Amino acid sequence: FKKALAEATKTMAHFSDLNITYSVDSAGVSGDVMRLPQVSRRMSHDEVSLARGTADALALNIRYHDSKRCC
């Protein structure tokens, strides 16, 4: 699951050199590293949904964010 999620996230972000890590720390992106919520071996539906939603949101932000028009 983690490998598939990482590859899908890189594809959505159009950033093949993105490094995906899973951590209990807050999710986010710093440079070329994306930190996603940790998923346990039991992979509950809530854990999977949180990891997928976070990955999708961060990947789309990387792909479409325009810092020239922001804030």
Side-chain angles (χ1 to χ4, degrees), residues 5-6 24 26 30 50-51 59 71:
L5 181 59
V24 294
S26 11
S30 179
L50 179 61
C71 316

Side-chain angles (χ1 to χ4, degrees), residues 14-41:
H14 280 206
F15 190 172
S16 61
D17 292 332
L18 186 64
N19 295 304
I20 310 291
T21 63
Y22 298 88
S23 174
V24 294
D25 297 331
S26 11
V29 178
S30 179
D32 66 347
V33 177
M34 179 184 290
R35 206 172 36 261
L36 295 177
Q38 183 64 39
V39 179
S40 69
R41 288 183 183 261

Side-chain angles (χ1 to χ4, degrees), residues 37-50:
Q38 183 64 39
V39 179
S40 69
R41 288 183 183 261
R42 292 184 317 188
M43 288 189 0
S44 73
H45 183 269
D46 289 343
E47 287 176 325
V48 170
S49 295
L50 179 61

